[in-house]
Amino acid sequence: MTAGPSEISPRTLRAMSAQTTYPWTSEFIDFYQDTEKKLAQILQTRNDIVIMHGECVLGLEAAIASTLNPGDKALVLDSGPFGKGMGAWIKMYGGEPVYLSVEYNDAIDPADVKKKLDEEKDAKLLTVVHSETPAGTINPIKEICRTANKRGLLTIVDAASSLGGMDIRPEEWGIDICVGAAQKCLSGPPLSVMSVSKNAWQTMENKRNPLRFSYLSILDWKENWIKKRRFPYAPLVSDIYGINEAATEVLEEGMQKVFNRHKSVANATRTGIQRMGLKLWPKRTEIAADTLTAVTVPKGINDQKVIDLMLERYGILIGRSLFELEGKAMLIAHMGYNATLANAAATLAALEWTLSDLGYRRS
Amino acid sequence: MTAGPSEISPRTLRAMSAQTTYPWTSEFIDFYQDTEKKLAQILQTRNDIVIMHGECVLGLEAAIASTLNPGDKALVLDSGPFGKGMGAWIKMYGGEPVYLSVEYNDAIDPADVKKKLDEEKDAKLLTVVHSETPAGTINPIKEICRTANKRGLLTIVDAASSLGGMDIRPEEWGIDICVGAAQKCLSGPPLSVMSVSKNAWQTMENKRNPLRFSYLSILDWKENWIKKRRFPYAPLVSDIYGINEAATEVLEEGMQKVFNRHKSVANATRTGIQRMGLKLWPKRTEIAADTLTAVTVPKGINDQKVIDLMLERYGILIGRSLFELEGKAMLIAHMGYNATLANAAATLAALEWTLSDLGYRRS
Amino acid sequence: MTAGPSEISPRTLRAMSAQTTYPWTSEFIDFYQDTEKKLAQILQTRNDIVIMHGECVLGLEAAIASTLNPGDKALVLDSGPFGKGMGAWIKMYGGEPVYLSVEYNDAIDPADVKKKLDEEKDAKLLTVVHSETPAGTINPIKEICRTANKRGLLTIVDAASSLGGMDIRPEEWGIDICVGAAQKCLSGPPLSVMSVSKNAWQTMENKRNPLRFSYLSILDWKENWIKKRRFPYAPLVSDIYGINEAATEVLEEGMQKVFNRHKSVANATRTGIQRMGLKLWPKRTEIAADTLTAVTVPKGINDQKVIDLMLERYGILIGRSLFELEGKAMLIAHMGYNATLANAAATLAALEWTLSDLGYRRS
Amino acid sequence: MTAGPSEISPRTLRAMSAQTTYPWTSEFIDFYQDTEKKLAQILQTRNDIVIMHGECVLGLEAAIASTLNPGDKALVLDSGPFGKGMGAWIKMYGGEPVYLSVEYNDAIDPADVKKKLDEEKDAKLLTVVHSETPAGTINPIKEICRTANKRGLLTIVDAASSLGGMDIRPEEWGIDICVGAAQKCLSGPPLSVMSVSKNAWQTMENKRNPLRFSYLSILDWKENWIKKRRFPYAPLVSDIYGINEAATEVLEEGMQKVFNRHKSVANATRTGIQRMGLKLWPKRTEIAADTLTAVTVPKGINDQKVIDLMLERYGILIGRSLFELEGKAMLIAHMGYNATLANAAATLAALEWTLSDLGYRRS
């Protein structure tokens, strides 16, 4: 029950064990397009889909590298370590990050975004994390991106730990580049899955030195793959098999059902956590993610000990939080294939047994 | 019997279908190190091994991006499309490529490299392709890299289609960064497999703006993984399973046996090609690769028709050449798992039947 | 969480997907012997191991067909449908079954066996089921078989749903033929796994018309395989791969740990069942199996509805009982790979939710 | 390239690695029926299909055990070890075998069958092998079975090594029970695949003591499975997955194409064998099987050495013949997935190299 990556479903694993076809055949080209169509349904978008052949950080770095001009000002929404981290890439590629920060158990307020944008009228780009994994919090990207998009900013959303588990609507919400991760709520292998708006393509083409012939270039995918059906380089065939199957599983269930399932498992988990006397990490339940629950580490308890003992005795693995939140929160992911009420029950029972084994008594 | 990628061995495919473990466990960390140890044996080196999580072009671009300072002059050995292509990255990252070119059925003469280096005394970098896939030719990287290395140049070798099928000795031959591809002679999934010398690490650390926190950064692997055993990002676990198994298969056979097998299959293939009245593409047999045989497309014959019919009627797929050589040469790869005398016999028979079906008569 | 068959472990499934070797090679012969050695460790015996290539009923029928002479009297212990069913084979092969019966929520009393044997002094054979699956009950085979064996009867034990989950000691307990099922507590594919005593071999050889050259012949395995290492017919290679891996998994954990795990999961399940106001089917906890829990279907509740709704809503499948007990008991198997406390917690929660969804209120 | 069993296709192997479903669900019942429908298309019959859960010998023994009354006379066509072997079962189950024999490089003449039936007017049963594996010969079952069937005999055909590779038409040719093997020309796992005529069902039902409740009973499959869709015992789920996929592969190609492919590969193999100066084992080409080629072991050559060296040096395994023909013939199977011209070319080349390595010179 961990966030990164989550367990690959058996069906997807088997799909990945198929003998790889030569990727330059029309058969594989059709299969790849079919994979993209399925991802578009999951992303609920008519924008182009791009699969970047590397973990989610590749897609995020590529989004910055492919669109930013040196000197561009970017509004970086900072409600957690991943949100803040976007600023580092902005600097690396010559931009100027301006941060809007909140405490790491809180979410960004869209009204504050409006105010900030009033101040920073020359900002070209906005970056925001949808589900801030280490904190188990959700930012209201719908309101945020609509506002920014209307004012002409290019919006980049990190939806790594929400894509496929929560409702996202790129066009309606004004998201230009939405970057997800196949290894989280899709229970697939770790590649970047992205939707790219027309506006984003134009930004890439109009960049002073358009980024081409690079592993970080999103534009290469447009100019080679989308236009000419030629891969810019040898694709990771087995992983594409995996993503196709993972997407098929999700779509067979239906997006609305999938979202509801994540929601009800999240509810059950939060209720169970509170019933055993523990505290949720997010300030308010309304900003808690449907895809993972961050639990405040109780005083006097070592989170690593809890995690290790729980795995050893009860066979269930939950995660530590990361970066600034390490040691402060524990993460129970309920993503994709793993997000079932039965798993929630098992995890809560195991956590309760473990804490009891360690002598924890609710106050 | 194609070069890119070649067929994954059944044993490796099965290894890739194992349920992925959470990659931040000591169990997976040990497994990853074991994978690197095996790759070091295949690369016959004590230099550090770095696996870049993307196809071979990622490793090649990363090698340039991580080491080159803007303004650096680089000697680019150009005996084929891939050799020449290195120059494009050099330009992109601000360097100045100087080309030493030969015809694309020929190999670079080490004596010419010496002359060129006498002329270009301020060159900082040399790039060379070991096995130039589209041409089926081999460059004498041993002599070339020794010369360049002694003169203080950083040497970058593209060994994509030779690594694991032909003898390469990074330290002895003066290769600073040797970039191979797991999906060719290792019959594994498509990730970059690299050896990195101390000199190369120093170059990266001493770069004006060392490349860090990037998917293209080799240095991230040193500073996070090699020093602290933390992955810079979520690794492609299934593909690592595949590479470990592929490497194990190769090592169980033994490197010398593997090299000999490739050599004898190459001999049998070349002999068979010439016996049926066809011409090899490389100018001289001595510069022909052991890992794939490029055959001159006979006059009046359409190579695509040969390839399609051969696949349809006889179930064996060979490749077209690429870029400048498209339509001029056909490529019979004999790499890794596929490199057997029996496969060579089947391929030669199928090619002969196909040409006969198409009305070709030897002159 | 069903008894027949239980879920195959992912590791075993992968083992079954290996390309099958030609079974008449020394490599496969060694592998087969290795499989038998592992099974002997699980059966805790030095008796010969025979794998019959069909589900457990093959082994049971073969045990009767290979040892019984027409006219032989056999004591058939009948504490459930499977126990009673042995009598049918005894008749079919010309024997005369004598039944010792108890109610189907009870277990056979060894003292009654003694009495019965005093009456039936010419009985040649005793058959008993260890774990009577439809009832979730256990017979005390240790005391029963010792008694029968000392009096010269050949003892045949059906250990289908206990082998690999509960302690069994063929020699010490006087079991001549112990028939288990790889698809239950071993979480493997469905073949018969048997231990055969010297006494049993002699009985087969001394039979009036020894059964040879038949799919039902155990003796064929001795005379062809054990003596000459020739298979009597083409073995089910993939299933043998599966059994070997399944056995390896079990042995890596260690038999004592495996038995303890089944015991503690059974305890937790029984406690949970009683806590939610349900009744166990077995008369006394002491005769309840460690490998599956039979729950009395509460009045006014349709067991099929419970099972269907529980699967549909909560994704967990439990079983109906069989034959005479159909509709009276539900079966929660906790066998092999599936027997974990976390699974028990999930199953109990799902059962409670389901009963509540169906309007059940504890009395 | 061996006959027993042949290589399972990768696609089928993968199908076998799917998590097994609980076999008593309607989903699996539908899947099982779908498997039977596909097998009926391969067997080109509207007769019932029965899958017996064990290698081909199970189906053959079951055919005798389920139909023969003690005292029945049976005509056993003996053109090889397997043909002759049927007589042993006839005796075991109380019948009286009458043999019609030819030399083991020859085939049965239908005219001789007629004559024999004129002599043995009270014969109830005829058994014949279609493709006699150890000899590489074919019996004309069309003429033979028509004759016997018209005269009221029940006809049992062993089609183990021809089913799925050669044309067979049960109804048209008067075959009551046709027993094939999934592990040969279907490239699947080793189970018995049978077609059963109405006449055969009647014979089973009218048997003095109909065989029921036995692993050898075909009737159990009718009374439990065909009538009530209940399996008589736990089916080998993974193997059924395999057979379904194997059958699907064959049907996707189309039966006529499959038969033609086997024929052309057989032709190429026979031509190649004769070109290298070797002799076919069958007396006449007309009686040589399309599914495997038996080659006479040349004088002064040890067949085991040829086979071992060929495997070691060239990676291709052919088979020894069996029983009376051991040491006299070598068997090159070209069955199912393996039956390609390319494989034939590779095998012939490898055999020629091996013989040359061993110093063999054509006379």
Side-chain angles (χ1 to χ4, degrees), chain B residues 10 13-19, chain C residues 10 13-19:
Chain B
L13 273 175
R14 279 207 321 124
M16 293 175 68
S17 73
Q19 180 59 54
Chain C
L13 274 176
R14 279 208 320 123
M16 292 175 68
S17 72
Q19 179 59 55

Side-chain angles (χ1 to χ4, degrees), chain A residues 197-269:
Chain A
S197 72
K198 273 182 203 160
N199 182 28
W201 286 129
Q202 275 169 8
T203 308
M204 293 183 220
E205 283 157 5
N206 296 338
K207 194 169 129 58
R208 252 167 277 151
N209 288 301
L211 186 64
R212 288 197 175 95
F213 191 41
S214 169
Y215 210 80
L216 286 171
S217 169
I218 308 180
L219 199 53
D220 280 355
W221 283 93
K222 171 147 204 175
E223 296 178 347
N224 291 279
W225 169 246
I226 297 177
K227 289 199 185 153
K228 302 184 212 152
R229 296 302 166 205
R230 292 204 168 197
F231 295 107
Y233 49 79
L236 284 157
V237 175
S238 302
D239 297 283
I240 295 301
Y241 288 171
I243 287 182
N244 189 300
E245 192 73 14
T248 305
E249 270 192 271
V250 166
L251 291 172
E252 279 177 7
E253 186 177 352
M255 292 322 293
Q256 201 48 56
K257 278 201 181 166
V258 167
F259 297 151
N260 289 344
R261 177 164 54 80
H262 281 84
K263 204 179 291 273
S264 70
V265 172
N267 275 331
T269 304

Side-chain angles (χ1 to χ4, degrees), chain A residues 10 13-19, chain D residues 10 13-19:
Chain A
L13 273 176
R14 276 207 324 125
M16 293 175 68
S17 73
Q19 179 61 54
Chain D
L13 274 176
R14 277 205 325 123
M16 294 175 68
S17 73
Q19 180 60 55

Side-chain angles (χ1 to χ4, degrees), chain C residues 123-362:
Chain C
K124 299 276 197 271
L125 212 97
L126 174 141
T127 66
V128 59
V129 172
H130 187 204
S131 159
E132 181 65 53
T133 308
T137 53
I138 287 289
N139 281 314
I141 54 168
K142 177 175 162 183
E143 294 74 16
I144 291 168
C145 292
R146 272 187 181 166
T147 300
N149 205 247
K150 271 184 198 154
R151 298 201 182 190
L153 282 84
L154 188 88
T155 58
I156 299 178
V157 171
D158 172 350
S161 62
S162 61
L163 178 72
M166 296 181 70
D167 197 18
I168 300 176
R169 301 181 177 268
E171 289 96 321
E172 223 177 283
W173 298 2
I175 303 169
D176 287 308
I177 305 186
C178 183
V179 183
Q183 81 272 25
K184 304 214 175 210
C185 300
L186 301 185
S187 305
L191 298 193
S192 303
V193 166
M194 312 160 77
S195 75
V196 182
S197 73
K198 274 181 201 158
N199 182 29
W201 286 128
Q202 276 169 8
T203 307
M204 293 182 219
E205 284 157 4
N206 297 338
K207 192 167 130 62
R208 253 167 275 151
N209 289 300
L211 186 65
R212 289 196 174 96
F213 191 40
S214 171
Y215 209 79
L216 287 171
S217 169
I218 309 180
L219 199 53
D220 281 354
W221 284 92
K222 170 146 205 174
E223 295 177 347
N224 291 279
W225 169 247
I226 298 178
K227 288 197 182 151
K228 302 184 210 153
R229 296 302 164 204
R230 292 203 168 196
F231 295 108
Y233 48 79
L236 285 156
V237 175
S238 301
D239 297 283
I240 296 300
Y241 287 171
I243 288 184
N244 189 300
E245 192 74 12
T248 306
E249 270 192 271
V250 166
L251 291 172
E252 280 176 8
E253 186 177 354
M255 293 322 295
Q256 201 49 55
K257 279 199 181 169
V258 167
F259 297 151
N260 289 344
R261 176 163 54 79
H262 282 85
K263 205 180 291 275
S264 68
V265 171
N267 274 331
T269 304
R270 290 192 292 254
T271 306
I273 286 298
Q274 290 170 323
R275 264 195 205 150
M276 67 177 92
L278 298 172
K279 275 188 62 182
L280 299 177
W281 174 262
K283 227 172 183 167
R284 304 179 301 280
T285 305
E286 302 79 57
I287 63 166
D290 286 349
T291 53
L292 84 165
T293 296
V295 181
T296 305
V297 177
K299 275 192 190 158
I301 287 287
N302 178 306
D303 63 330
Q304 191 64 58
K305 270 195 192 159
V306 174
I307 291 168
D308 291 347
L309 191 69
M310 187 165 158
L311 178 61
E312 189 198 321
R313 289 222 180 132
Y314 308 108
I316 294 180
L317 179 66
I318 62 173
R320 300 193 84 184
S321 187
L322 302 159
F323 305 104
E324 290 89 336
L325 304 189
E326 200 177 288
K328 296 186 182 164
M330 296 184 290
L331 304 178
I332 301 173
H334 21 80
M335 290 178 174
Y337 166 74
N338 266 341
T340 65
L341 287 172
N343 277 354
T347 305
L348 291 167
L351 179 57
E352 195 158 19
W353 296 327
T354 305
L355 289 170
S356 158
D357 293 348
L358 288 171
Y360 168 76
R361 288 168 164 264
R362 60 161 72 197

